[in-house]
């Protein structure tokens, strides 16, 4: 159940400092200290969206909300005049009659307009009123400008109120109704309304399946004015022997008797209106004449053609076999019911009829008020009345406030007022400030009139103030604080004619003036910040909100700013920017504070140059920023810790086919993209990444590729050495569609290990921040930014961490072992292959031995499990786009969007292995995976235990755990593994069926230390060269060679395993341990009680020599076997690949670091390389790229090879203006 949220640490609201001063002393009137925030009763209400409520000013955020609503009591008044009662009318069996044409029971029932029609005496008419709980809406006759409530949400609950409706307690205090005028055609209902056209108003509760239909008054046979005239005439001219009320009753009874005689006694005689009996009963006047004319009794002369005349009323025909008779009959029956109902209600009055004995009526009318009030949730048993003191309930100044909030003062309670306010803000976020203004007015009036303010309402005001709610008075005060008004510094009134830039400059000037009084500067600047935000939200100005977010700072003083950058106050701007860049480069973990300091100095000095530098990353006053040589690639400026994204975008630019495909849509019209329409069938014809894509993903992807095309255009034509990507491009690249959707549902954040500063920060360990809590390594031992991809055999299967692992082979086995839960045991190998093997061939990183030393002090010092992180606050120098992912996931997100955007969704159907997509054509190959049993018994009994599956892949994965391995060794482990399935060990063999032009090999450096329960980055050197031959891993490779290679590899792994156990395993190294023990026993003098045992010493030295010899033999054997393996495949060179890109991560921790990459200058200069380090692009020697990185924290984490002879890479693609001049 969603309840009214109470912030964990609400910002205190000081009423004395609140904008919009009134004549009330809030501090004196309300004892705020008595409010117990933890004991306040929660108000049941669901469906609230924190993002919508905080961004109430943004129409895009709340486009689907239904708008303002009303609570049941106010709705009851809206259904029909609250001073008029509605009655349920039924007819009783009439006295039997033997005459012809007697009305039947069906005709009597049909005389009432509809089963859901209720009689109103004051209108002598009917109101169609129906309430019903149904998951199906009644037939609507039109579309509405205001959206209907979310139908999926409505279907979840039958009714918001009522016993037994919600067994776990109500999720909402009461209904919240929304009105849609003339929405339903009553003739389309079941049963239909058959008396002509009738459009009904529709009321929908946005929280449950209940709806209500109501009509305007359906007029009766006798118009209201005639009924009133007839009644007034009888009241003013009573009969001699009757009271006025009895005269009225007698008159209407006479009319009813005339109708009754015609229908049930077939009375056909005329009624002379001048005879005494008629006159005494009903009299004769224009109203009487008009009444009879209305019910079908025309006035005629009985003595036509004679000198004397006698007027009489002629009965209408009632024979149902004729059209005239049928129509008259229907009219008379309706009039008979209505007059009978009118008399029944009229006689309920306590006023005396004297001695008059009224006639027996065959029409009963019972009040329907209780029934329909209970139905819509407005009954006094559901919502109590009379809790508001009379002085407030009769306060005329609050009438509009109650109505705007959708309630009535008579039904006030603190909980209901809170619910009404929150429900209006939920359903109509755009008018949140209007609702807060009226809520504030009600509570303020309570204080003005000396009434006690309930603690719940006190708390609500505090909470809403902490969420930056304001009133018109607050808005006026904010304008004054910024200097607007005739008496202000700006000398201009703030109205809609004042543009955002002028307001921003007024704010900056006021903040600069605030430093003139250092003692009050911080308080003054805080008020200025609040004032700008208030005005920005009121205007719905994204520009002002960005200015506020970017420049508000956190209260750093100018002195602190200069001290932080270690510069004097009189430093010139050029020197200041130089020092700033040096400080950030030397201390990247302090970049946030450095930037804040520069922002304060820019404000104090009112420097446009510094502001532009902070906004663009380029110094507009730097004359050195000129065009460089045309053939030099361009760098990318950081947007705030986006170094790995920059590396990825620069890598994409070097891929010729991909670049050309993206640039080809650079001129696409964004509006045209937004108007693209895809049918469901169009979407079903294509899959990306093995699944269908949504319209949202298509439009998002097209936007991403359009922005990327613009960046590529600048990288080709820009003369500056570096380009700044658009922030929106970075957001789309770093945040997935799933992230956006999850954040829309829940803004509470996530404790995923991916969601850290790790992904984007620089070399030094980040300082702790108030708004981040990294996940415990215990929760996610492999969570990091470095290649978190793994060969996920099943999403529910985990790395087995129970058994100790000492050797590389054991560690590899443990890393591949699956948990043997009953679910896994029941899973067969076919399902295992089909459902569990990811298309990217992911391989989980192994868990290292317990004796690995942690190098990351910041990680080691953390307490194990930490609480879930609080919602992240946006800030300049931290990650700007919500949750972040590792490098591989960022690449996946970019590739997914590129492939989606470039697909022709109106074209022919494509399959997963279709190579028309540049992404599939360039990056994807095909592999075959074979799962076999290791048990000979199982092989003999179950020949079907061998299972194969072909799948696509875009990356190959090499686990990096130990020194002394080259790239072939790592790939060999990947292509031949042992996994555990259902308690049995299986061999997983992978071979390559089809190779892609670009071969991406992920070096997985994230390891896990069980003793410390910490993830760490392996710095092991993996040797690789400029060329790699993939022949040995092909499915078509020579079977004999593959078998022999497997044998050699097994021996090699065993030898390496023994070397590891002797040198690095538990209690190792043994040789030095034996030697040290022998030396100690033979020469120690510290412990005189221990005598030297020569035999033991001799035995220890022999064991030492034996271990040393065995170690030497095993090392020689590994060298020999490795050479045999390479000799076996030395002639297989048809699948040759050339190294083209090397991605580097610099840092000692998997949780933070800096990224850059090397790119080979292909195709024309293969011996030269470029180093892309954000904005700096430099030429480097090949030796730097291939260097042994042992002892360094800068290691490759991804290698990219291009198939030899394939012209997929064009590293330098620049526009050369000299080519135009030459032409």
């Amino acid at each position: 159940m969603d309840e009214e949220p109470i912030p964990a640490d609400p910002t205190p609201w000081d009423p004395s400092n609140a904008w919009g001063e009134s004549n009330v002393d809030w501090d004196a009137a309300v004892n705020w200290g008595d409010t117990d925030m933890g004991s306040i009763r929660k108000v049941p209400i669901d469906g609230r969206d924190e993002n919508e409520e905080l961004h109430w000013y943004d129409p895009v955020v709340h486009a689907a909300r239904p708008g303002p609503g009303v609570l049941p009591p106010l709705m009851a008044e809206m259904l029909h005049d609250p001073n008029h009662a509605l009655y349920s009318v039924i007819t009783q069996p009439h006295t039997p009659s033997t005459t012809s044409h007697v009305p039947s029971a069906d005709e009597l029932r049909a005389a009432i307009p509809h089963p859901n029609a209720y009689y109103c005496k004051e209108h002598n008419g009917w109101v169609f009123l129906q309430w019903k709980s149904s998951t199906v809406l009644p037939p609507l006759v039109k579309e509405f400008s205001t959206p209907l409530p979310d139908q999926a949400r409505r279907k979840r609950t039958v009714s918001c109120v009522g016993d037994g409706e919600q067994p776990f307690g109500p999720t909402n205090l009461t209904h919240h109704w929304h009105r849609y005028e003339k929405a339903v055609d009553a003739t389309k209902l079941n049963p239909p309304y058959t008396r002509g056209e009738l459009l009904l108003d529709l009321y929908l509760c946005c929280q449950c399946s209940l709806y209500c239909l109501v009509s305007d008054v359906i007029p009766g046979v006798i118009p209201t004015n005639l009924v009133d005239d007839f009644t007034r005439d009888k009241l003013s001219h009573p009969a001699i022997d009757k009271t006025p009320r009895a005269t009225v009753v007698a008159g209407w009874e006479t009319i009813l008797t005339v109708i009754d005689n015609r229908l049930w006694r077939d009375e056909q005689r005329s009624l002379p209106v001048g005879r005494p009996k008629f006159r005494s009963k009903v009299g004769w006047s224009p109203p009487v004449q008009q009444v009879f004319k209305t019910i079908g009794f025309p006035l005629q002369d009985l003595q036509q053609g004679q000198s004397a005349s006698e007027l009489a009323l002629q009965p209408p025909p009632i024979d149902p076999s004729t059209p005239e008779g049928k129509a008259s009959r229907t009219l008379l029956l309706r009039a008979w019911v209505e007059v009978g109902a009118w008399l029944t209600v009229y006689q309920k009055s306590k006023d005396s009829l004297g001695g008059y004995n009224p006639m027996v009526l065959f029409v009963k009318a019972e009040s329907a008020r209780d029934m329909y009030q209970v139905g819509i949730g407005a009954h006094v048993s559901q919502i109590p009345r009379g809790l508001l003191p009379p002085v407030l309930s009769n306060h005329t100044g609050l009438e509009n406030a109650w109505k705007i909030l959708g309630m009535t003062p008579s039904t006030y309670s603190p909980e209901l007022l809170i619910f009404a306010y929150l429900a209006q803000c939920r359903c109509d976020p755009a008018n949140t400030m209007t609702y807060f203004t009226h809520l504030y007015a009600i509570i303020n009036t309570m204080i003005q009139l000396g009434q006690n303010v309930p603690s719940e309402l006190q708390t609500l005001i505090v909470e809403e103030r902490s969420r930056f709610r304001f009133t018109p008075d607050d808005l006026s005060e904010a304008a004054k604080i910024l200097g607007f008004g005739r008496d202000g510094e700006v000398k201009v009134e703030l109205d809609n004619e004042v543009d955002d830039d002028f307001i921003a400059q007024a704010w900056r000037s006021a903040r600069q003036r605030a430093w003139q009084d250092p003692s009050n500067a911080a308080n003054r600047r805080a008020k200025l910040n609040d004032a700008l935000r208030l005005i920005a939200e009121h205007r719905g100005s994204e520009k002002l909100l960005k200015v506020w977010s970017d420049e508000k700072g956190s209260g750093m003083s100018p002195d602190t700013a200069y001290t932080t950058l270690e510069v004097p106050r009189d430093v010139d701007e050029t020197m200041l920017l130089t020092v700033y860049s040096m400080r950030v480069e030397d201390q990247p973990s302090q970049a946030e504070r450095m930037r804040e300091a520069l922002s304060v100095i820019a404000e104090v000095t009112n420097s446009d140059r510094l502001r532009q530098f902070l906004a663009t990353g380029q110094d507009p006053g730097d004359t050195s920023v000129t065009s460089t040589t045309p053939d030099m690639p361009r760098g990318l400026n950081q947007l705030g810790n986006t170094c790995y994204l920059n590396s990825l975008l620069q890598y994409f630019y070097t891929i010729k086919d991909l670049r050309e495909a993206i640039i080809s849509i650079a001129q696409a019209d964004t509006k045209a993209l937004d108007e693209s329409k895809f049918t469901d069938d169009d979407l079903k014809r294509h899959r990306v990444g093995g699944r269908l894509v949504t319209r949202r993903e298509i439009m998002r992807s097209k936007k991403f590729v359009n922005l990327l095309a613009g960046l590529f255009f600048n990288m080709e034509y820009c003369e500056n050495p570096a380009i700044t990507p658009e922030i929106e491009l970075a957001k789309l690249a770093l945040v997935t569609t799933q992230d956006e959707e999850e954040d829309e549902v829940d803004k509470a954040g996530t404790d995923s290990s991916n969601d850290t500063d790790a992904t984007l920060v620089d070399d030094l360990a980040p300082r702790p921040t108030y708004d981040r809590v990294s996940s415990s390594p215990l929760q996610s031992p492999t969570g990091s930014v470095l290649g978190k991809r793994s060969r996920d055999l099943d999403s529910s299967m985990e790395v087995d961490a129970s058994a100790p692992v000492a050797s590389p082979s054991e560690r590899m086995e443990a890393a591949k072992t699956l948990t043997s839960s009953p679910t896994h045991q029941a899973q067969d190998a076919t399902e295992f292959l089909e459902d569990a093997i990811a298309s990217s061939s992911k391989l989980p990183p192994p868990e290292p031995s317990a004796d690995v030393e942690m190098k990351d002090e910041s990680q080691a010092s953390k307490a194990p499990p930490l609480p879930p992180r609080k919602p992240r606050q946006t800030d300049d120098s931290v990650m700007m786009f919500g949750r972040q992912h590792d490098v591989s996931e960022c690449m996946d997100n970019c590739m997914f969007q590129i492939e989606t955007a470039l697909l022709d969704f109106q074209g022919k159907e494509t399959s997963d292995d279709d190579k028309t997509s540049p992404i599939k054509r360039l990056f994807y190959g095909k592999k075959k995976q074979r799962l076999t049993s290791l048990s000979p018994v199982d092989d003999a009994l179950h020949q079907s235990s061998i299972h194969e599956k072909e799948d696509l892949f875009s990356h190959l994965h090499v686990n990096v755990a130990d020194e002394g391995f080259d790239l072939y060794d790592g790939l060999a482990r990947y292509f031949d593994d042992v996994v555990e399935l259902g308690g049995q060990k299986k061999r997983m063999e992978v071979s390559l069926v089809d190779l892609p032009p670009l071969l991406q090999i992920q070096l997985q450096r994230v390891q896990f230390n069980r003793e410390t329960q910490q993830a760490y980055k392996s710095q092991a050197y993996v040797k690789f060269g400029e060329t790699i031959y993939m022949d040995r891993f092909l499915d078509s490779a020579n079977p004999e060679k593959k078998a022999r290679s497997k044998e050699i590899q097994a021996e090699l792994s065993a030898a390496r395993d023994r070397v590891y156990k002797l040198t690095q395993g538990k209690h190792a190294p043994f040789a030095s341990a034996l030697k040290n023990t022998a030396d100690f026993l033979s020469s120690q003098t510290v412990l005189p009680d221990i005598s030297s045992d020569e035999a033991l010493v001799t035995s220890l030295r022999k064991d030492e020599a034996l271990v040393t010899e065995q170690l030497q033999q095993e090392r020689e054997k590994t060298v020999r076997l490795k050479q045999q393996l390479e000799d076996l495949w030395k002639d297989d060179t048809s699948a040759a690949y050339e190294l083209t890109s090397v991605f580097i991560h610099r840092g000692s921790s998997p949780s933070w670091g800096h990224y850059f990459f090397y790119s080979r200058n292909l195709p024309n200069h293969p011996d030269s390389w470029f180093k892309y380090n954000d904005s700096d692009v430099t030429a480097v020697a090949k030796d730097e790229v291939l260097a042994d990185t042992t002892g360094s924290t800068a290691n490759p984490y991804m290698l990219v090879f291009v198939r030899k002879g394939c012209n997929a890479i064009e590293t330098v693609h620049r526009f050369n203006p000299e080519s135009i001049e030459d032409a």
Side-chain angles (χ1 to χ4, degrees), residues 4-11 37 50 459 462-464 466-467:
E4 177 198 356
I6 296 183
D9 185 17
T11 304
M37 301 287 288
E50 184 72 9
T459 301
V462 172
E463 291 174 359
E464 291 302 277
S466 73
R467 301 171 76 212

Side-chain angles (χ1 to χ4, degrees), residues 1051-1093:
E1051 290 187 61
L1052 179 59
S1053 296
R1056 284 174 169 166
D1057 189 47
R1058 287 191 289 272
V1059 171
Y1060 176 86
K1061 287 181 177 179
L1062 293 173
T1063 58
Q1064 300 181 53
K1066 194 172 184 180
H1067 306 305
F1070 294 109
S1072 58
L1074 292 167
K1075 179 180 183 301
N1076 292 338
T1077 303
D1079 290 345
F1080 173 76
L1081 292 176
S1082 62
S1083 60
Q1084 73 87 20
T1085 58
V1086 179
L1087 302 173
D1089 295 336
I1090 298 179
S1091 59
S1092 176
D1093 187 336

Side-chain angles (χ1 to χ4, degrees), residues 947-990:
H947 300 275
E948 290 185 349
K949 174 178 169 56
E950 289 190 357
D951 201 358
L952 299 179
F953 72 93
S954 61
H955 291 73
L956 298 178
H957 302 273
V958 172
N959 185 61
V960 181
D962 305 294
E963 303 284 353
F965 292 85
D966 64 11
L967 191 56
Y968 286 112
D969 293 325
L971 288 171
R973 293 182 178 183
Y974 171 77
F975 284 101
D976 192 350
D977 254 338
V978 175
V979 297
E980 186 172 321
L981 176 64
Q984 294 183 348
K985 290 186 177 180
K986 303 283 186 180
R987 178 174 296 280
M988 173 68 74
E989 297 174 287
V990 180

Side-chain angles (χ1 to χ4, degrees), residues 1095-1153:
L1096 177 58
V1097 171
T1098 301
S1099 176
L1100 289 172
R1101 296 204 184 278
K1102 288 181 179 180
D1103 290 343
E1104 176 202 349
L1106 178 61
V1107 170
T1108 302
E1109 181 182 359
Q1110 287 180 353
L1111 183 58
Q1112 181 64 27
Q1113 290 174 356
E1114 294 299 334
R1115 282 175 171 163
E1116 292 174 355
K1117 185 176 181 179
T1118 59
V1119 173
R1120 184 175 67 256
L1121 290 171
K1122 177 63 175 174
Q1123 188 59 48
Q1124 288 180 19
L1125 195 60
E1126 298 307 316
D1127 290 343
L1128 180 66
W1129 296 104
K1130 67 180 180 180
D1131 296 327
D1132 294 81
T1133 59
S1134 60
Y1137 278 80
E1138 296 179 306
L1139 184 66
T1140 178
S1141 297
V1142 179
F1143 288 77
I1144 303 294
H1145 173 267
R1146 185 181 68 204
S1148 60
S1149 168
S1151 299
W1152 44 266

